Amino acid sequence: MDFVAGDYDVIVIGAGHAGCEAALASSRMGCKTLIITISMDNIALMPCNPAVGGPAKGHLVREIDALGGQMGLNIDKTNIQVRMLNTGKGPAVHSLRAQADKKMYQEEMTKELEAQDNLDVKQAMVEEILVENNVVKGVKTQTGAIFKSRAVILTTGTYLRGKIIIGDFNYLAGPNGLQSSINLSGNLKELGLELLRFKTGTPARVDRRTIDFSKMVEQPGDEKNLFFSFMSKESTQYNYSCWLTYTNEKTHKIIRDNLHRAPMYSGSIEGTGPRYCPSIEDKIVRFSDKASHQIFIEPEGINTYEMYVQGVSTSLPEEVQLAMYRSISGLENVEIMRPAYAIEYDCLNPTQLSLTLETKNIEGLFTAGQINGSSGYEEAAAQGLMAGINAVIKIKGQEPLILKRSDAYIGVLIDDLVTKGTNEPYRMLTSRAEYRLLLRQDNADLRLTEKGWKVGLVKEDRYKQFISKKESISREMLRLSQVMLNPSDQLLRDLLNLKQSSLLKNSISALDLLKRPEITYFDLIEIGYGDKELTNEIYEQVEIQIKYEGYITKQQSQVERFEKIENRIIPQKIDYLNINGLRNEAKQKLSTIKPFSVGQASRISGVSPADISVLLVYLEQQRRKGVYNNEK
């Protein structure tokens, strides 16, 4: 029998990385929030790689942190190795990556949720979203419990009709064989939402004691303290190594000989898999000319023998997996603790969402994470944070927080999903961000903390620290511009000779000297012109802003030019079918997506530059007639 079990402002369904950020954001912004999970033991589960960050993904984590989210703080507390990647390249693509103790990560995030004011955590299976007149009213669980709410955020990950596949064997389940959600998929279809079927997978976990590390290349973490959160100060002090090895021709032959048993080739997998994280059998077929592929052996935690075999995701039968792994150098005697598997699941076509991540046809229903067709913990957490923020903003009747492509990688991620859609699990890449020189991981707080403060998620201690940092950078850049260097200064001459940098003929400022690629801020400290009392992050920002000033200015001017069409808002009631001159495909796509701005419209697949010109002319005609002057 149905019964009313509670009344909330916001209900979050699912407690993965998206759900945790959504629930914490909502409750911290003052809304009474409920987060419902199939199992309390699944909170913040890392069912695939036990790591956070990496190229582009590290940028997302820094941005989540700058806005007041939790992921950065949590991985800083629970990592067992940290490395800065791409240090041989420019700062725009530097990426922090941390290996997590996966159990510790879950425990810390669970503790954070349970201790949070305004937030209730409950274990239940949601089977129905309650909707009246296309407005969300709450949810109903498997046991008949009804929870009323003004907004619902769906963050179901890969649990919707999840199916585990290992060779010929398959069964309905979520990640790691956990319970899947079956009936909610049917309810979403009844509500008129279009579902897609995607696939992802994970490698086997193997027993550390059965690995010969002497045949592998050790990959230790960096020695210095590195943090995702701008608030973290103390390192965990763990530095567990990862290990590098390679597949070989024997491995490839085992895979080729068993392709007929691989579900993705036999036709038993219907879902679309991720192009940027392919299974090993897909790699062998697609890159048949390659003699080997990298494999990283990564620890799952400090209190387990389980090791993650990165690079060998597969759905081949279990006995084939064992033969394949044992053909690899260092794994000749390996024992599998958990077999690799593929998982199929339902997700939404994300073009059904607005830029706030609210569904266009059901008011108050938001979605975030893998249900939106993305892959990865970081992509999920970023969407969860934004959905949580915008659900609260909607309830409060305020202007939504929409991050532009020039504001953040989060803006690129969401715009790509809702504007272009995706026909495969979407992964964030640095190449997707056209303004990546501006969107560096080191300046995420300078870009976004003010926005987090304005919506009420960034708290006073973080905001004060941010203001202090901002002022310190400005003061130091001003000081360096006023410090004049004497060409006859012997310490300066010695430094320039050592760095093979041309000697000065005339006096220049310390700021101009720092523009030279070979000169660092620490060099200025060595010769007495730097301020050794400043922190490393201040040094870093001063040096980057000075050295890349010309490039940054050029990219900012590109943003300003683009903002002219990005800020041209399109009224949501516009009838594209009645705009003469638009091609039929453009009419159809624009009517479906309902773009927020002309900039967003220009990125829709199937809308040409000529269509945008027609749209601009139409909008100007309507503006002159006063048709849409008071509408958005």
Side-chain angles (χ1 to χ4, degrees):
M1 181 178 291
D2 297 347
F3 66 100
V4 176
D7 198 338
Y8 293 87
D9 295 314
V10 177
I11 294 175
V12 179
I13 303 173
H17 304 283
C20 289
E21 295 293 347
L24 287 170
S26 169
S27 54
R28 288 169 176 173
M29 290 171 68
C31 278
K32 185 182 178 185
T33 304
L34 169 65
I35 185 168
I36 302 176
T37 175
I38 289 175
S39 170
M40 294 285 287
D41 299 325
N42 293 6
I43 293 173
L45 178 69
M46 291 180 159
C48 199
N49 198 342
V52 167
K57 292 169 175 281
H59 291 69
L60 289 173
V61 181
R62 282 277 177 90
E63 292 177 350
I64 290 164
D65 181 74
L67 287 164
Q70 193 64 30
M71 179 174 260
L73 286 163
N74 210 59
I75 187 61
D76 286 344
K77 288 181 186 176
T78 60
N79 70 68
I80 56 177
Q81 188 207 85
V82 181
R83 294 179 70 192
M84 186 69 77
L85 307 180
N86 297 332
T87 53
K89 301 177 182 178
V93 292
H94 288 180
S95 296
L96 194 58
R97 183 183 186 274
Q99 202 69 26
D101 181 305
K102 64 190 301 181
K103 290 287 186 186
M104 202 188 308
Y105 188 94
Q106 282 188 267
E107 289 165 2
E108 282 295 325
M109 191 65 87
T110 301
K111 191 192 306 180
E112 197 70 33
L113 292 179
E114 292 179 352
Q116 178 62 45
D117 292 340
N118 291 327
L119 178 59
D120 289 343
V121 186
K122 295 186 185 293
Q123 179 172 298
M125 173 79 78
V126 173
E127 296 202 327
E128 186 178 348
I129 310 296
L130 303 177
V131 176
E132 293 179 14
N133 299 320
N134 293 324
V135 177
V136 154
K137 297 297 180 181
V139 303
K140 186 166 77 171
T141 72
Q142 191 177 45
T143 61
I146 290 174
F147 295 96
K148 296 181 178 180
S149 70
R150 300 165 69 186
V152 169
I153 305 174
L154 268 175
T155 66
T156 50
T158 59
Y159 286 82
L160 282 183
R161 279 204 316 128
K163 182 167 76 169
I164 298 284
I165 303 166
I166 304 173
D168 297 329
F169 177 66
N170 64 77
Y171 59 101
L172 290 173
N176 279 1
L178 299 167
Q179 190 176 8
S180 66
S181 174
I182 306 301
N183 294 336
L184 187 55
S185 275
N187 175 239
L188 294 177
K189 286 183 180 177
E190 289 171 5
L191 293 173
L193 294 169
E194 179 192 351
L195 299 185
L196 307 173
R197 189 75 170 164
F198 278 179
K199 181 219 83 158
T200 187
T202 190
R205 307 313 193 268
V206 298
D207 192 330
R208 179 186 182 91
R209 295 165 296 183
T210 62
I211 299 172
D212 185 353
F213 293 107
S214 68
K215 295 182 177 180
M216 301 180 180
V217 180
E218 188 173 7
Q219 303 273 302
D222 291 346
E223 291 297 331
K224 63 181 180 179
N225 289 346
L226 294 167
F227 304 107
F228 277 101
S229 176
F230 293 96
M231 299 296 286
S232 295
K233 303 300 177 191
E234 293 184 13
S235 169
T236 63
Q237 300 305 314
Y238 294 116
N239 194 348
Y240 279 55
S241 289
C242 298
W243 302 83
L244 173 64
T245 185
Y246 296 88
T247 62
N248 52 58
E249 184 49 42
K250 184 179 178 183
T251 316
H252 300 183
K253 185 176 187 307
I254 291 169
I255 294 167
R256 285 194 296 267
D257 289 348
N258 287 278
L259 277 178
H260 64 286
R261 304 183 68 192
M264 65 179 296
Y265 288 99
S266 66
S268 57
I269 286 182
E270 57 179 293
T272 305
R275 183 163 35 120
Y276 298 103
C277 188
S279 66
I280 188 65
E281 50 265 42
D282 201 18
K283 286 182 191 176
I284 301 309
V285 171
R286 285 168 51 189
F287 308 108
S288 57
D289 58 318
K290 291 198 70 172
S292 64
H293 294 274
Q294 283 188 334
I295 297 171
F296 292 94
I297 310 297
E298 303 174 339
E300 295 246 315
I302 59 177
N303 293 314
T304 179
Y305 289 115
E306 282 190 276
M307 302 289 283
Y308 178 89
V309 189
Q310 183 188 335
V312 198
S313 172
T314 183
S315 57
L316 283 163
E318 203 167 344
E319 69 273 20
V320 179
Q321 291 184 30
L322 187 59
M324 176 180 65
Y325 284 121
R326 286 183 174 175
S327 70
I328 295 166
S329 181
L331 300 180
E332 291 87 351
N333 299 304
V334 77
E335 290 292 344
I336 292 176
M337 299 177 79
R338 305 189 201 207
Y341 62 84
I343 182 169
E344 283 189 340
Y345 56 96
D346 288 346
C347 57
L348 295 182
N349 181 341
T351 59
Q352 297 168 101
L353 308 174
S354 70
L355 289 169
T356 63
L357 296 180
E358 183 180 19
T359 55
K360 292 171 182 171
N361 296 328
I362 302 175
E363 188 175 349
L365 178 61
F366 293 77
T367 65
Q370 286 190 257
I371 191 174
N372 288 344
S374 64
S375 68
Y377 312 142
E378 302 85 355
E379 289 90 338
Q383 293 172 67
L385 178 70
M386 296 305 295
I389 289 171
N390 280 311
V392 174
I393 286 175
K394 182 178 181 67
I395 288 170
K396 293 181 177 179
Q398 300 168 348
E399 284 293 310
L401 177 61
I402 295 173
L403 298 177
K404 300 191 292 288
R405 297 181 73 89
S406 55
D407 288 332
Y409 270 76
I410 296 175
V412 175
L413 164 68
I414 293 174
D415 184 65
D416 276 353
L417 285 171
V418 308
T419 305
K420 302 174 183 176
T422 184
N423 56 11
E424 63 183 356
Y426 176 99
R427 179 179 180 177
M428 193 70 244
L429 304 168
T430 53
S431 59
R432 297 190 193 274
E434 57 268 49
Y435 305 119
R436 55 187 172 275
L437 186 56
L438 301 180
L439 308 182
R440 306 182 310 275
Q441 62 168 13
D442 61 81
N443 70 352
D445 57 339
L446 300 177
R447 291 184 279 116
L448 299 173
T449 298
E450 189 78 43
K451 296 179 187 294
W453 169 255
K454 285 179 179 177
V455 299
L457 189 54
V458 166
K459 301 308 175 190
E460 190 170 0
D461 59 338
R462 178 186 286 269
Y463 190 65
K464 284 181 177 178
Q465 180 177 306
F466 159 71
I467 292 298
S468 174
K469 175 181 175 179
K470 197 173 176 182
E471 290 173 348
S472 294
I473 294 167
S474 296
R475 277 197 307 270
E476 181 58 9
M477 290 183 69
L478 177 62
R479 187 189 72 80
L480 290 174
S481 71
Q482 295 171 342
V483 172
M484 301 306 293
L485 306 182
N486 189 331
S488 62
D489 183 323
Q490 192 58 47
L491 283 176
L492 173 60
R493 292 172 67 86
D494 290 345
L495 171 69
L496 295 176
N497 283 323
L498 179 66
K499 295 281 185 171
Q500 297 183 325
S501 187
S502 58
L503 298 177
L504 301 184
K505 295 179 180 178
N506 301 298
S507 292
I508 64 170
S509 70
L511 186 147
D512 284 331
L513 182 67
L514 194 53
K515 288 181 179 179
R516 295 187 179 189
E518 65 275 13
I519 304 298
T520 70
Y521 190 91
F522 289 104
D523 292 330
L524 295 185
I525 292 176
E526 285 293 315
I527 60 175
Y529 294 108
D531 185 347
K532 58 185 178 183
E533 299 302 318
L534 296 176
T535 63
N536 284 344
E537 61 180 348
I538 303 297
Y539 299 157
E540 179 183 51
Q541 276 308 303
V542 167
E543 190 167 326
I544 289 173
Q545 290 186 31
I546 289 172
K547 286 190 185 301
Y548 292 89
E549 179 189 14
Y551 298 105
I552 291 170
T553 301
K554 183 178 180 180
Q555 195 147 98
Q556 283 173 333
S557 67
Q558 291 172 349
V559 170
E560 287 165 10
R561 287 197 299 273
F562 186 71
E563 296 279 284
K564 291 177 182 177
I565 64 166
E566 195 65 36
N567 292 334
R568 188 75 185 270
I569 306 303
I570 299 177
Q572 290 302 288
K573 292 182 180 179
I574 192 170
D575 185 355
Y576 295 100
L577 300 178
N578 289 327
I579 300 179
N580 294 326
L582 281 181
R583 293 174 308 112
N584 287 334
E585 182 184 11
K587 288 180 179 181
Q588 181 185 0
K589 292 289 182 68
L590 289 165
S591 298
T592 301
I593 305 295
K594 297 184 177 69
F596 176 77
S597 67
V598 175
Q600 187 187 4
S602 70
R603 293 187 292 276
I604 297 172
S605 174
V607 176
S608 70
D611 294 319
I612 295 300
S613 297
V614 171
L615 179 60
L616 285 168
V617 169
Y618 175 81
L619 288 172
E620 180 60 21
Q621 289 173 343
Q622 300 306 301
R623 185 192 68 79
R624 291 178 180 177
K625 295 177 183 177
V627 175
Y628 294 124
N629 284 356
N630 298 316
E631 293 185 22
K632 288 187 177 180

